Amino acid sequence: MLTQIKGLHHVTSMAASASTNNRFFTDTLGLRRVKKTVNFDAPDVYHLYYGDEVGTPGSVMTYFPFPHIAQGRPGTGEVGTTIFSVPQGSLGYWTDRLTKAGADGLKADEAFGEKRLHFAGPDGDGFALVEVKDDNRAPWTGNGVSAEEAIRGFHSASMRLRDEGSTAELLKFMGYEQVDAKDGVTRFGMPGGNGADFIDVETMPNINSARLGAGSVHHIAFAVDNREKQLEVRKALMDTGYQVTPVIDRDYFWAIYFRTPGGVLFEIATNEPGFDRDEDTAHLGEALKLPTQHEHLRKALEEHLEPIA
């Protein structure tokens, strides 16, 4: 069993409009845009990062906004719901805020003893807020949401699978423990994690596979401290039979990727070097930052990319 993984690092999804996406995560959810860069593999497309003040691993939601992307189709083999942690007693505030913002799909429920509020993002993305007692992670409060209500980071992610068996074994190998199961959902938790500690697996054997598009999660990333720990994880996964990519430099972390038995794309990302490697903390996410290999495209990209505030 692996011991290097410390919970979630980030979740990356697809969107249709950069400006709409940016407005929703900063104005509506009150997160901070901590990086404005481009998709390293398709530099004519933004890669936008939102999180807490410094983009702490476990708080970061990221997006590829493709202007002409087709709508995704929900189904199995994907992350269906990304869940954020908020303080106990704050869901009334969030219900009012999301209602005023015109968010779709508002629904309150309870799972595993926790109160939740479900809602949809601008592209139909599946989200929820869950009340968590004593989540001591520091929130970002620069976009008009007070510390008494502000998002602390991720709580969990919920995967929809046709069969949970092989993925459950993988999660246990990665250091997760099964902590509960109810109503067709199995919850796995990371002991001593970074606060973004849970993965829920919903088994849906009769549902068709998802189709990637706007509103879909592209991949989910798990955190390790550094490159040394990442290489240990890579070797262990490959020794177990997984096809894992070489280490890829993403400027703000190093990444490896592999496809899970259930179809979800997993990434293992380092906590180093962080989003302040090329911007000071006071100005994170303000300027367009380009990887070295695309810097020669700056003039063309600045003319092409949709302006965002």
Side-chain angles (χ1 to χ4, degrees):
M1 185 184 75
L2 300 174
T3 59
Q4 298 89 342
I5 294 170
K6 301 303 179 184
L8 294 178
H9 187 284
H10 64 269
V11 176
T12 295
S13 293
M14 318 283 277
S17 166
S19 58
T20 299
N21 182 262
N22 180 75
R23 188 163 53 250
F24 181 77
F25 281 92
T26 58
D27 292 353
T28 302
L29 293 189
L31 298 179
R32 184 183 196 187
R33 190 179 71 222
V34 294
K35 195 61 59 179
K36 180 170 67 169
T37 183
V38 295
N39 183 324
F40 285 18
D41 303 313
D44 59 338
V45 174
Y46 277 121
H47 193 175
L48 303 176
Y49 293 77
Y50 311 97
D52 64 12
E53 182 180 13
V54 296
T56 305
S59 77
V60 183
M61 190 79 206
T62 99
Y63 270 87
F64 302 134
F66 287 87
H68 305 293
I69 192 172
Q71 184 67 33
R73 181 186 67 198
T76 54
E78 69 171 353
V79 173
T81 309
T82 303
I83 300 101
F84 297 97
S85 169
V86 295
Q88 229 174 10
S90 66
L91 286 186
Y93 166 87
W94 282 106
T95 300
D96 291 343
R97 186 178 182 89
L98 290 166
T99 299
K100 290 175 182 175
D104 293 328
L106 285 169
K107 185 184 76 169
D109 70 2
E110 188 170 316
F112 300 111
E114 297 168 328
K115 294 180 180 179
R116 302 186 301 188
L117 177 65
H118 294 264
F119 61 99
D123 293 286
D125 328 45
F127 291 115
L129 303 171
V130 59
E131 291 189 348
V132 178
K133 184 179 181 180
D134 299 329
D135 186 338
N136 295 320
R137 291 177 289 174
W140 170 249
T141 57
N143 289 334
V145 181
S146 74
E148 287 71 32
E149 290 93 17
I151 289 171
R152 265 43 183 181
F154 294 125
H155 168 274
S156 56
S158 178
M159 299 191 295
R160 294 189 288 241
L161 306 177
R162 299 194 77 173
D163 177 12
E164 78 164 43
S166 297
T167 300
E169 291 306 310
L170 169 62
L171 289 170
K172 291 175 184 176
F173 179 69
M174 290 169 59
Y176 283 84
E177 297 178 355
Q178 182 175 329
V179 295
D180 209 344
K182 188 175 182 181
D183 300 328
V185 180
T186 304
R187 169 160 288 185
F188 297 88
M190 176 59 66
N194 61 10
D197 296 336
F198 297 104
I199 298 290
D200 292 342
V201 176
E202 185 175 5
T203 305
M204 308 175 78
N206 300 315
I207 303 300
N208 289 332
S209 298
R211 182 184 66 210
L212 191 67
S216 303
V217 171
H218 184 272
H219 63 267
I220 180 171
F222 298 84
V224 292
D225 287 336
N226 52 47
R227 296 183 71 185
E228 179 184 1
K229 300 296 185 184
Q230 183 184 62
L231 289 174
E232 293 171 359
V233 171
R234 183 175 187 270
K235 183 180 186 302
L237 287 168
M238 293 181 71
D239 288 347
T240 309
Y242 286 96
Q243 300 297 311
V244 187
T245 68
V247 176
I248 301 172
D249 184 357
R250 297 302 192 194
D251 279 6
Y252 312 106
F253 48 87
W254 284 272
I256 57 174
Y257 303 86
F258 65 102
R259 186 72 62 177
T260 66
V264 181
L265 183 61
F266 276 13
E267 174 184 348
I268 309 297
T270 61
N271 291 346
E272 60 178 10
F275 294 101
D276 59 355
R277 69 173 295 272
D278 57 2
E279 292 179 295
D280 65 75
T281 300
H283 297 286
L284 286 179
E286 295 179 7
L288 176 64
K289 294 297 179 180
L290 298 177
T292 302
Q293 65 268 32
H294 296 319
E295 187 60 50
H296 69 285
L297 301 173
R298 176 173 292 277
K299 184 175 186 300
L301 291 175
E302 289 179 339
E303 292 173 355
H304 167 78
L305 292 167
E306 178 186 3
I308 54 176

